[in-house]
Amino acid sequence: GLFLVDEVVQYASIVSFARGGSFVVDNGYAEYGSADLRMQYLSNGPDGLVAQYPFLFTVLAAPFFALAGLRGVFLLNLLGALASLWLTWRISERLSDRRTAVLATLILLLASFLSNYAVALWPHAISLAFALAGAYCAVVAGSTRQVEPIPALAGGALIAAGIFLRLDVALILPPLAAWLVLTANRPYAKLLLAGLGMAPIILAGSWINQVKFGVFSPITYGADKGGGTSLTTHLPIIAVVAAACLLIVLWRQAPRVRRPLIGLIALLAVGGIAALPELRAAILKMAQGLYVLVVDLTQHPAVGVAKGIERDKNGIVTFWNFHKKALAQSLPWMGLLPLLVRADVRHRSGILL
């Protein structure tokens, strides 16, 4: 059954699209205007209330729902989970060997939350499949000496589509681009083709968001919703990512200046931290946030303050009664990752990715 309000909103959106081909959740709000019908995670669209979530999961889930109800939606996510396992195998085997592929696939199956999301109403499993499909295309494109358009174009299109399943799929773009620049032949041509593959999907998805939300943007929860989709709130991180991308390009294109480049970066970092209190504060805030999200979620400042975020009797953070942990708390095997520095050189490209 349905437990959380976001499940209810996802369900309502899928039912509406399956029955009438509309994103509008027609629950009587348009007729009666009662605040009780304006559930959390519903946005005001041009034609009525709509789910704040990206539209593609609703579109993909609707025929499965029409076929078998909620079990049909679970089937879609199960297919996404199976595809994710297969893609993990293919990526690992291509970058390393069969033994590594077996281990990587078993880790995803047995030591992650994939099995939970494989039979859920949320889009995590299917969005992971799209992200891994885009990553696999990047691996195929990056491993060829010549520029082959199809893998690069397909990879860009798949990741762009994944963004309209879950917005955080966009986070895979910088590391994939960096990996291609560092390891691939003719990486810029391949990245250009990936961008061309993304462009029509991004434009089409933005137009659908215009119809649904009244906002022409690929990344939005609606005109009356924030949700961290405003780029201005992420300018420090964007600046860091942009600087890192520039450094990676310089590292690839100008090997003779690598040592001076490292010295210059160190000098600028130390000088900036010493001279600019605002920079020190920003770095400290990011470091604290990283520690909380990766190491110990119990230190999160919203615990006991924000609605729904509490501690249970054992001190574990809960969000609407669901246990929440930091990344390393959830996946303790990550503590073994430093041992990868001793891996054989033939695994280097895969480890870097």
Side-chain angles (χ1 to χ4, degrees):
L2 305 176
F3 182 69
L4 295 176
V5 63
D6 50 353
E7 292 178 312
V8 174
V9 171
Q10 288 277 23
Y11 175 77
S13 182
I14 293 168
V15 170
S16 178
F17 198 84
R19 292 178 177 173
S22 172
F23 293 116
V24 174
V25 177
D26 187 9
N27 64 349
Y29 180 79
E31 290 80 9
Y32 302 107
S34 171
D36 294 331
L37 297 173
R38 180 69 155 70
M39 288 188 297
Q40 191 177 7
Y41 306 132
L42 285 175
S43 296
N44 283 317
D47 300 314
L49 293 179
V50 294
Q52 71 169 28
Y53 305 108
F55 67 85
L56 189 54
F57 183 64
T58 296
V59 174
L60 294 180
F64 286 86
F65 178 84
L67 179 68
L70 272 178
R71 289 184 175 85
V73 182
F74 296 163
L75 175 61
L76 171 64
N77 276 322
L78 179 61
L79 293 174
L82 293 173
S84 298
L85 291 168
W86 180 78
L87 288 162
T88 299
W89 170 284
R90 294 293 296 151
I91 292 170
S92 303
E93 186 179 40
R94 192 173 185 101
L95 291 175
S96 188
D97 54 33
R98 184 174 292 270
R99 179 174 176 271
T100 303
V102 170
L103 292 173
T105 306
L106 287 175
I107 287 173
L108 179 61
L109 175 62
L110 302 176
S112 77
F113 298 105
L114 182 65
S115 58
N116 298 80
Y117 289 115
V119 285
L121 191 58
W122 299 314
H124 297 63
I126 191 69
S127 66
L128 176 63
F130 273 72
L132 285 173
Y136 177 66
C137 289
V139 169
V140 172
S143 62
T144 58
R145 298 190 63 85
Q146 302 299 320
V147 177
E148 296 185 6
I150 292 178
L153 289 168
L158 284 163
I159 292 174
I163 292 171
F164 296 108
L165 286 164
R166 277 182 61 85
L167 300 185
D168 57 7
V169 171
L171 298 177
I172 200 176
L173 289 170
L176 278 181
W179 180 80
L180 284 170
V181 170
L182 289 171
T183 65
N185 291 309
R186 302 187 63 187
Y188 308 116
K190 294 172 182 178
L191 286 172
L192 176 61
L193 285 169
L196 291 175
M198 291 185 69
I201 307 298
I202 293 295
L203 289 173
S206 298
W207 176 77
I208 294 175
N209 280 341
Q210 175 70 42
V211 174
K212 178 181 177 181
F213 296 117
V215 179
F216 187 83
S217 171
I219 299 178
T220 180
Y221 290 123
D224 60 338
K225 296 284 185 179
T229 57
S230 172
L231 294 181
T232 57
T233 61
H234 302 290
L235 287 178
I237 295 296
I238 293 172
V240 169
V241 171
C245 291
L246 178 60
L247 291 175
I248 289 169
V249 171
L250 290 174
W251 187 271
R252 166 71 186 255
Q253 297 302 121
R256 293 183 179 181
V257 302
R258 287 177 181 175
R259 287 188 178 180
L261 186 62
I262 292 173
L264 178 62
I265 293 170
L267 181 63
L268 289 174
V270 172
I273 292 172
L276 300 172
E278 296 85 358
L279 180 60
R280 286 200 303 273
I283 292 175
L284 180 62
K285 184 177 180 180
M286 283 192 287
Q288 290 173 334
L290 187 65
Y291 174 80
V292 168
L293 294 177
V294 176
V295 179
D296 186 9
L297 195 67
T298 62
Q299 303 302 312
H300 199 292
V303 176
V305 178
K307 187 177 181 180
I309 305 178
E310 305 290 345
R311 298 181 193 271
D312 69 5
K313 62 182 180 180
N314 298 312
I316 298 175
V317 176
T318 63
F319 180 64
W320 299 116
N321 296 323
F322 276 95
H323 285 157
K324 294 292 183 179
K325 297 181 181 180
L327 183 62
Q329 290 174 316
S330 300
L331 309 174
W333 52 264
M334 290 180 62
L336 300 175
L337 292 180
L339 297 177
L340 291 175
V341 298
R342 302 179 58 187
D344 192 282
V345 67
R346 63 195 173 92
H347 301 292
R348 183 172 58 186
S349 178
I351 292 170
L352 181 61
L353 180 60

